[in-house]
Amino acid sequence: MQLHCVGDVGTRAGERTDVGSERDGGVAATVVPGHGHENGPMDSGTIDLGGPTAQAAHGSDVVKIIAGKLFDPYTLTLLENQVIRVSRATGRVLDVSPHAACDDNEGEVIDLSELTVLPGFVDVHVHLFLHAYSETPWEDQLTKESLAERTIRATVHAKRTLLAGFTTVRDLGTEGAADADIALRKCLSRTTAHTDAMIPGPRYFCASRAIVPTGSYGPKGDINVHKEGIDGITGADVADGPDDCIKAVRRQIGAGADWIKIYADYRFRSRVAGVSAETGRASMNTFREEELKAMVDTAHMYGVKVAAHATNGQTIATLLALGVDSIEHGFDILSPSTAVDMDMATDDASDSAGAGPGRSCRVLRALAHSNAKWVPTLATYYTLSQGSGDAGPWTRAAEAFRAALEEGMDNIACGGDTGVFSHGENALEMMLMVRLGADWKKVLRWGTLGGWECVRSMGWEGRRGAARLARVGDSQGWGGENEVPFGAIRRGFAADVIATCGDVEGNFESAVSAESVRFVMKAGRVYKRDGKVVE
């Protein structure tokens, strides 16, 4: 697909941004980022950082970005003609102000006045050590590709992801590549405020090895059927019983994992599929409740969040009661065994949108009103349905997502299970959400700020997190690349900035596609400009 885009990036002499000015009719000059939706609209005047962040940026350290339109995920609005000042040294946003307020010559100016500027996208469910199953089946990738090959592929995937506009990802398991993601994170990250990442790629949160019970996961050999894995390769870390589960969590955290990933249900009896197809395909609980509780409680004790692979409502209900932090998949949350308390009142508006007659259930409502994030991974079910001809999971996933929209669910994050399909096509998840009836503005929020709210550490949660966020513009200390807030273009947030030549309102799918992303900045460094890679 060839795109004819106008307004590529230009560079010209700077204009001054007056820090600390207060506009007539506006609020006080100091604007504090809110927590979730608590924040009001951006002030029409300059946002005054105050404190060391503003004072530290001088001269050539400052980059000014002129945005024709700027999306604010807090208010779900497109702001016109804004200037974003960025500090190269800290990789953070210094302030945002109307273009007319700028009149100085400091630093470099990047002209995106003909483009729509967005916070960098966040994909909260990727597997960089996998590539599209249409190229090579999952089991062959694990058992026939060396660790060296898989690691090299992961670096290629990382660069492709970044250039598509995804400045942050959460990798939920190396799938047989051991703890290679821990080393990859080091290569992708600025380890100090004064160093660049070794290789280009997104900000990287990782879970290392997912945790499964004996016999539940693959790869599975045909000769030694009682052994885990093939030739010593296992797709995840095996643990049985509460004590062993606690050890597994401690082992992952001690190795450096940002997250713990649990397979809470799976196709445990897949070996009988040849003689009992329905049983072989059935997703069933893998761990006992006491095992799940041991893992969630242990992770939280160390300040680490837990993501759970869970497809059916019964499993999800248990996980929510235990305080899990994100639910991955959930495509069978409306399955007959759990879809109770159905509201059958017909809603003409819902019918016209294809959402069906008031489909919701207690588990879905519980998820919608919980502190957990739901990551529906629509893209993987859609992609697999195209290749296999089995549209069942995709149909149920689409129905579940429409029911969530009808329920008013907003605790959603965008993650495609990318790796099942090609890296760089991460935006497919957002595209499918809009196709299924979601408001594009909400989808952009889920794919930016919602991503940070999902993957951020527990140190940003609760009252402590809210107080920390209120002070973020006044902090100059280097807390590490994964401890800087991102997902919005506001003072003190990471300068993760992308720009599209597309029309997000008129043609959302084209606008968020990799081909339309003309500019990519991560943590203050430019990686793509005028649609071309910046080495």
Side-chain angles (χ1 to χ4, degrees), residues 168-243:
T168 301
V169 299
R170 180 183 59 166
D171 194 325
L172 287 180
T174 62
E175 303 288 315
D179 53 8
D181 58 341
I182 304 296
L184 179 62
R185 183 183 60 194
K186 179 180 178 181
C187 297
L188 291 172
S189 304
R190 293 174 65 184
T191 54
T192 74
H194 307 292
T195 59
D196 282 332
M198 186 183 301
I199 58 175
R203 183 176 290 98
Y204 191 58
F205 291 77
C206 55
S208 196
R209 309 178 198 207
I211 303 174
V212 298
T214 295
S216 63
Y217 205 56
K220 295 184 176 183
D222 296 324
I223 305 300
N224 299 307
V225 294
H226 286 280
K227 288 188 175 181
E228 293 290 326
I230 297 175
D231 295 334
I233 301 295
T234 57
D237 197 7
V238 175
D240 299 297
D243 289 345

Side-chain angles (χ1 to χ4, degrees), residues 220-302:
K220 295 184 176 183
D222 296 324
I223 305 300
N224 299 307
V225 294
H226 286 280
K227 288 188 175 181
E228 293 290 326
I230 297 175
D231 295 334
I233 301 295
T234 57
D237 197 7
V238 175
D240 299 297
D243 289 345
D244 209 19
C245 287
I246 290 171
K247 287 181 181 178
V249 170
R250 287 174 173 165
R251 191 162 51 243
Q252 302 304 333
I253 294 173
D258 298 295
W259 275 75
I260 292 297
K261 164 78 175 293
I262 298 170
Y263 278 89
D265 60 24
Y266 207 67
R267 300 181 299 277
F268 206 115
R269 302 190 64 192
S270 60
R271 286 190 187 276
V272 304
V275 293
S276 182
E278 186 173 346
T279 300
R281 289 196 304 264
S283 182
M284 55 189 68
N285 292 345
T286 53
F287 290 103
R288 300 194 308 271
E289 185 172 345
E290 57 264 34
E291 293 172 312
L292 291 171
K293 185 177 189 313
M295 289 186 282
V296 173
D297 287 353
T298 301
H300 287 175
M301 181 179 74
Y302 293 110

